[in-house]
């Protein structure tokens, strides 16, 4: 069953990719979607068997021996534990729903077989990643989702913006993956193996050990964890390596829901949780993870305040929520991080697909400034987006009931307050502030899109329509998850049942009591996220419903700040100045000076050109006429005679001249 879950998407990708012209677009849609549905059903069976029923504690399915080279012996194995089961459910469920949704969303695109092949290929790579039993297999899936992401972001390759976004995502992720690869190599050097079981068993022996680097004694475990986390920063779009995520919205909207909301971008969070036996042994690494996560959560929320593209607002929300997850891992609450990953998959995929429904109904319009008043024209889409917004903002009544985001996001904030590393306290206040900003930009999106007067052109407004049920059907399932996944899963993931649920899948050090202490935080800590949620809603209502002239007034009054946020803290411009322009200048110098003047000047345009000229002249002598060759022989004979006789004549002449004297 485990093997089938992983290989069914690969089978769909092969069928749609190589036989799409034979079976047609409809056949490719049906085959890939059906196989993903089967994989999703099997994944839920695994989840209930492993996570809920509690069997087995930990197991591995050996498929084949993969690489054997000296001390490196890597087998392809499927790791079966609770963490794997949770990720299988997230990946296959969201992927199956996105496949079904895409049947309606992409119905006009002639390249549907290629699109569905890419979707299934991505799902296969992601399943390889989450089922890996060693770091090399994980890296294979890691790079596989990167490849599939590149293909899907640039799916509409006739658009220059899509090509540029795909290249940007690929290059930025290579920066993070460089550190990740170094971390994997370092793990092999230190532990002599890439198998998780071997690494985890020997991790405690490396505590306190150092190595020399440029005359400094550097902690081994801290170095390894930070290098591995560098890969997570790229894949999960954390601060400094976040710039690719918003631009990735150039791909079709189902791609945004699958890759950039629910699955690929959460790979970094999964990786840190999987490697918790390493990270738990390095307080410095956990502090860095906490700080980076908190900065990302706050930074992305500030940028989301002023974005006008409906998909980019949700993209920055994704970036911010990933920051929440990393704060949870940084303070040692790995189970809470995965809980938020689980609930986030439902409500964020719901928001992205809901945005896709808006774009589909508006004739591909994405600018919220050209929307408004769509509630009456698209009531079902409005209802689903409302549910997603309530869950994202953490709507609920503390101690009673709430949406999925209410349970998981509030739990992260409480864990940050209970955390003990130096970055925990600043992270707590940063997350609370981000909660208010999240509520503001989320309700701003709802008000600008669905409420108030319509700002769409009359000819566009006449064509606005509700999406077909092939697109709305998946939203029903996601809406149910966005409403109920938190309440149903809280006890398993975070509450009293979490110890029996996670068992050996996630490791916490003996002194890590954050999950116990978070349940005893003061009442004001529990109420703070709800208060921020209400404040953000009221502020958004004031700005965009009660007094819609206020946003323009504030933008003019605080224009430098507005432009700073609108231009995303000028990171793109900064990176262009620091890296892109110097790289282009260096490339131009190597091209014009090194290649054209030196290499071409001395090579093809220099010595080679002269040889060619001489050769061309010599070739002309090969006329085929006997008298020409006879003439050449006479000239040669004359030269030979001259060579031997002229020196003697000169010598004789010199002797005669001396005798005369």
């Amino acid at each position: 069953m485990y093997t089938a879950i992983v290989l069914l998407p690969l089978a769909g990708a092969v069928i749609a990719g190589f036989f799409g012209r034979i079976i047609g677009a409809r056949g490719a849609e049906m085959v890939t979607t059906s196989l993903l549905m089967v994989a999703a059903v099997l994944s839920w069976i695994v989840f209930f068997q492993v996570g809920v029923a509690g069997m087995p504690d930990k197991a591995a399915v050996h498929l084949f021996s993969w690489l054997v080279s000296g001390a490196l012996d890597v087998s392809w194995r499927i790791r079966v534990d609770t963490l794997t089961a949770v990720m299988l459910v997230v990946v296959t469920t969201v992927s199956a729903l996105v496949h079904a949704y895409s049947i309606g969303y992409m119905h006009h695109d002639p390249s549907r077989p290629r699109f569905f092949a890419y979707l299934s290929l991505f799902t296969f790579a992601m399943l390889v990643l989450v089922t890996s039993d060693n770091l090399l297999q994980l890296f294979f899936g890691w790079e596989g989702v990167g490849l599939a992401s590149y293909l899907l972001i640039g799916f509409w390759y006739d658009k220059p913006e899509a090509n540029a976004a795909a290249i940007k995502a690929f290059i930025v992720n290579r920066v993070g993956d460089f550190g990740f690869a170094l971390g994997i190599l370092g793990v092999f050097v230190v532990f002599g193996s890439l198998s998780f079981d071997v690494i985890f068993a020997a991790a405690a022996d490396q505590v306190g050990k150092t190595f020399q680097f440029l005359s400094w004694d550097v902690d081994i475990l801290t170095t390894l964890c930070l290098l591995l986390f560098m890969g997570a920063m790229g894949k999960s779009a954390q601060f400094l390596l976040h710039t690719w995520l918003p631009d990735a919205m150039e791909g079709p909207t189902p791609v945004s829901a699958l890759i950039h909301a629910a699955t690929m971008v959460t790979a970094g969070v999964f990786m840190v949780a999987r490697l918790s036996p390493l990270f738990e042994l390095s307080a410095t690494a956990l502090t860095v993870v906490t700080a980076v996560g908190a900065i990302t959560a706050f930074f992305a929320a500030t940028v989301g305040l002023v974005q006008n593209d409906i998909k980019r607002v949700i993209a920055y929300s994704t970036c911010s929520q990933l920051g929440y997850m990393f704060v949870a891992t940084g303070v040692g609450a790995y189970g809470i991080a995965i809980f938020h990953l689980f609930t986030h998959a439902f409500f964020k995929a719901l928001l992205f697909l809901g945005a896709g429904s808006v774009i589909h109904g508006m004739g591909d319009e994405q600018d919220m400034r050209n929307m408004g008043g769509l509630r009456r024209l698209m009531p079902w889409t409005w209802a689903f987006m409302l549910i997603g917004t309530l869950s994202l903002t953490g709507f609920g009544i503390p101690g009673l009931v709430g949406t999925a985001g209410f349970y998981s996001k509030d739990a992260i904030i409480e864990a940050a307050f209970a955390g003990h590393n130096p970055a925990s306290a600043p992270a707590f206040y940063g997350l609370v502030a981000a909660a208010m900003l999240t509520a503001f930009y989320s309700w701003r999106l709802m008000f600008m899109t669905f409420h108030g007067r319509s700002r769409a052109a009359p000819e566009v407004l006449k064509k606005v329509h509700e999406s077909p049920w092939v697109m709305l059907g998946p939203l029903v399932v996601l809406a149910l998850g966005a409403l109920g996944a938190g309440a149903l899963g809280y006890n398993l993931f975070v509450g009293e049942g979490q110890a029996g649920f996670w068992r050996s899948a996630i490791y916490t050090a003996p002194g890590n009591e954050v999950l116990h202490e978070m349940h005893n935080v003061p009442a004001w800590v529990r109420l703070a996220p709800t208060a921020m949620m209400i404040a953000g809603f009221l502020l958004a209502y004031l700005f965009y419903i009660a007094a819609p002239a206020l946003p323009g007034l504030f933008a003019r009054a605080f224009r430098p700040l507005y432009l700073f946020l609108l231009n995303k803290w000028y990171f793109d411009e900064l990176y262009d100045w620091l890296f892109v322009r110097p790289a282009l200048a260096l490339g131009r110098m190597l091209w014009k000076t090194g290649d054209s003047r030196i290499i071409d000047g001395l090579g093809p345009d220099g010595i080679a050109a002269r040889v060619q000229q001489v050769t061309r002249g010599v070739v002309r002598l090969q006329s085929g006429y006997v008298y020409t060759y006879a003439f050449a022989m006479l000239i040669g004979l004359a030269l030979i005679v001259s060579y031997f006789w002229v020196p003697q004549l000169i010598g004789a002449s010199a002797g005669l001249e001396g005798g005369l004297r």
Side-chain angles (χ1 to χ4, degrees):
M1 181 164 58
Y2 306 111
T3 306
I5 293 172
V6 176
L7 295 183
L8 283 174
L10 177 62
V14 171
I15 294 172
F18 290 99
F19 305 102
R21 293 185 179 181
I22 298 175
I23 63 177
R26 177 61 65 182
E29 293 170 347
M30 292 297 105
V31 168
T32 54
T33 304
S34 299
L35 292 176
L36 257 299
M37 292 289 185
V38 174
V41 171
L42 295 177
S43 296
W44 278 101
I45 294 174
V46 169
F47 176 79
F48 283 106
Q49 286 181 344
V50 177
V52 179
M55 48 180 289
D57 180 22
K58 183 179 66 177
V61 179
H62 179 85
L63 298 183
F64 54 87
S65 181
W66 187 19
L67 290 176
V68 179
S69 177
L72 180 64
D73 188 350
V74 179
S75 295
W76 196 287
R77 294 155 60 92
I78 297 176
R79 189 179 185 88
V80 181
D81 58 17
T82 309
L83 183 57
T84 301
V86 172
M87 295 304 297
L88 286 178
V89 164
V90 170
V91 173
T92 57
T93 302
V94 174
S95 182
L97 294 174
V98 167
H99 273 72
Y101 177 94
S102 300
I103 294 174
Y105 189 88
M106 300 292 291
H107 75 278
H108 62 284
D109 198 296
S111 301
R112 294 198 300 281
R114 179 166 61 91
F115 179 76
F116 280 87
Y118 289 168
L119 283 183
S120 292
L121 178 64
F122 167 82
T123 306
F124 164 72
M126 191 68 195
L127 290 173
V128 169
L129 191 159
V130 301
T131 60
S132 57
D133 193 50
N134 57 77
L135 278 172
L136 191 61
Q137 185 179 335
L138 186 148
F139 190 69
F140 178 87
W142 192 274
E143 295 302 305
V145 294
L147 169 64
S149 173
Y150 169 81
L151 295 173
L152 286 166
I153 295 170
F155 177 75
W156 288 320
Y157 54 81
D158 54 340
K159 291 175 57 179
E161 298 86 357
N163 288 325
I167 293 172
K168 185 176 183 179
F170 195 81
I171 292 175
V172 173
N173 272 275
R174 297 290 71 72
V175 176
D177 290 353
F178 175 72
F180 191 42
L182 287 179
I184 293 174
L185 292 173
V187 167
F188 181 73
V189 170
V190 172
F191 296 100
S193 175
L194 296 178
S195 171
F196 290 144
D197 289 337
V198 175
I199 296 168
F200 298 162
D205 296 335
Q206 298 299 323
V207 174
K209 292 186 177 181
T210 61
F211 69 97
Q212 271 207 334
F213 179 74
L214 299 178
S215 75
W216 289 306
D217 288 329
V218 184
D219 187 80
I220 291 176
L221 285 178
T222 298
T223 303
L224 293 178
C225 289
L226 291 179
L227 287 173
L228 294 169
F229 178 63
M230 187 175 173
M233 288 178 64
K235 196 67 71 183
S236 296
Q238 292 300 283
F239 187 69
L240 300 180
L241 295 180
H242 66 277
T243 54
W244 67 271
L245 183 62
D247 289 354
M249 298 303 107
E250 292 295 338
T253 301
V255 173
S256 304
L258 177 63
I259 295 180
H260 309 117
T263 51
M264 188 189 85
V265 291
T266 61
V269 180
F270 163 79
M271 185 266 287
V272 175
R274 173 63 79 198
L275 299 180
S276 55
L278 289 181
F279 280 86
E280 276 289 270
L281 300 177
S282 174
T284 302
L286 290 178
T287 301
V288 171
V289 172
T290 305
V292 171
I295 293 171
T296 304
F298 180 78
F299 152 76
T302 63
V303 177
L305 296 175
V306 297
Q307 299 303 305
N308 297 308
D309 186 306
I310 188 171
K311 288 172 63 177
R312 285 180 181 264
V313 174
I314 305 174
Y316 276 106
S317 170
T318 298
C319 193
S320 182
Q321 296 304 305
L322 289 167
Y324 274 85
M325 298 178 204
F326 277 111
V327 169
T329 61
V331 299
Y334 306 97
I336 299 179
I338 300 301
F339 182 38
H340 194 51
L341 184 157
F342 181 77
T343 60
H344 178 268
F346 288 103
F347 63 74
K348 190 52 64 65
L350 176 62
L351 286 170
F352 265 117
L353 295 185
S357 180
V358 172
I359 296 168
H360 182 269
M362 288 284 292
D364 295 330
E365 178 61 68
Q366 296 184 199
D367 195 326
M368 296 187 299
R369 292 171 295 184
N370 299 326
M371 299 179 187
L374 295 180
R375 177 184 176 183
R376 298 182 304 275
L377 301 173
M378 307 180 71
W380 285 107
T381 300
W382 168 80
F384 292 131
M385 289 286 285
L386 177 63
I387 292 172
T389 299
L390 289 172
S391 189
L392 170 61
T393 58
F395 177 79
I397 302 174
L400 292 177
V401 69
T403 57
F406 166 79
Y407 285 97
S408 58
K409 189 165 73 172
D410 285 19
I412 291 177
I413 293 175
E414 293 166 12
F417 183 85
H420 297 291
N421 73 53
S424 297
F428 165 74
Y429 292 105
L431 295 186
V432 171
M436 188 189 74
L437 300 178
T438 300
F440 178 85
Y441 67 66
S442 298
W443 287 109
R444 172 179 178 265
L445 183 151
M446 288 295 296
F447 294 146
M448 290 184 69
T449 304
F450 295 102
H451 297 269
R453 64 177 183 84
S454 176
R455 298 174 297 278
E459 59 273 16
V460 174
L461 201 58
K462 292 178 182 178
K463 299 179 181 179
V464 174
H465 60 280
E466 185 62 274
S467 298
W469 276 101
V470 70
M471 294 173 60
L472 295 179
L475 300 187
V476 175
V477 180
L478 292 171
L480 293 175
L483 288 173
L488 295 176
Y490 183 84
N491 185 58
L492 283 178
F493 287 84
V494 182
E496 296 177 358
Q498 58 88 21
F501 179 74
W502 291 117
R503 290 170 290 170
S504 62
I506 289 177
Y507 172 78
T508 53
N512 185 345
E513 299 292 337
V514 66
L515 290 179
H516 173 72
E517 294 173 1
M518 63 170 283
H519 294 295
N520 300 315
V521 297
W524 69 268
V525 174
R526 295 183 181 278
L527 295 174
T530 302
M532 293 297 103
M533 179 266 296
I534 296 173
F537 167 77
L538 294 176
L539 196 60
Y541 184 86
L542 173 66
F543 270 61
Y544 295 97
I545 300 297
L550 279 178
L553 293 175
F554 267 77
R556 288 188 292 272
F558 302 98
R559 186 163 181 77
L561 176 61
Y562 172 74
L563 293 176
F564 180 71
L565 299 180
L566 185 65
N567 289 282
K568 302 156 288 188
W569 291 27
Y570 291 103
F571 269 103
D572 285 328
E573 291 78 5
L574 177 63
Y575 287 172
D576 181 70
W577 180 74
L578 281 177
F579 304 115
V580 178
R581 292 185 185 181
L584 288 174
L586 177 62
R588 190 174 291 109
M589 183 194 70
L590 294 175
W591 169 36
K592 292 293 186 180
T593 303
D595 193 18
S596 298
R597 294 181 183 177
I598 299 177
I599 297 176
D600 288 348
L602 295 178
D605 298 334
I607 298 173
R610 303 292 81 78
V611 171
Q612 188 179 38
Q613 290 175 353
V614 172
T615 303
R616 190 178 295 113
V618 173
V619 166
R620 291 196 183 100
L621 297 176
Q622 306 299 320
S623 63
Y625 295 107
V626 175
Y627 61 81
T628 302
Y629 300 142
F631 179 69
M633 292 172 65
L634 289 174
I635 293 176
L637 181 62
L639 291 173
I640 293 172
V641 170
S642 299
Y643 177 79
F644 286 105
W645 283 94
V646 167
Q648 296 183 17
L649 291 176
I650 293 174
S653 174
L656 180 61
E657 183 178 355
L660 291 175
R661 288 178 182 175

